[in-house]
Amino acid sequence: MKLADFKTMPRDGFPTTNQWVLDFGKYQLSVITGGYGYAEAPYEIAVFAANDGVSQGFVQLPGITGPDDDVRGYMTQEDVDAVLVKLYVITGEEPVQI
């Protein structure tokens, strides 16, 4: 399971930024390009609690986001791919792009 397996979507209101939103059941992962630290590594992530496909707000998960940090930047594609695997292991759910 890799980010490259999912379709790149333009981010609303940001014509030069792409976004992927992946639903893992109780969590959703948002991945964008051009975010925090993009000059060094192109990806930024945020994890949200979710209920019935509806985002409920930021969540911090050890090993995925830092303590007291809802957003993690400076990420490579390999870093994002590792997060996909971690969320799959945590939830037991294959990600569905929304």
Side-chain angles (χ1 to χ4, degrees), residues 20-43:
W20 299 257
V21 179
L22 306 175
D23 188 83
F24 287 84
K26 68 180 189 174
Y27 297 113
Q28 290 179 350
L29 176 68
S30 171
V31 181
I32 66 167
T33 59
Y36 182 56
Y38 75 92
E40 295 175 36
Y43 299 98

Side-chain angles (χ1 to χ4, degrees), residues 23 25-28 47-59:
D23 188 83
K26 68 180 189 174
Y27 297 113
Q28 290 179 350
V47 180
F48 299 87
N51 187 4
D52 291 325
V54 177
S55 176
Q56 303 294 309
F58 288 107
V59 95

Side-chain angles (χ1 to χ4, degrees), residues 36 43-45 63-65 69-75 79 83:
Y36 182 56
Y43 299 98
E44 173 189 293
I45 67 164
I64 296 176
T65 56
D69 198 0
D70 296 328
V71 174
R72 180 176 169 194
Y74 295 94
M75 297 190 73
D79 296 332
V83 168

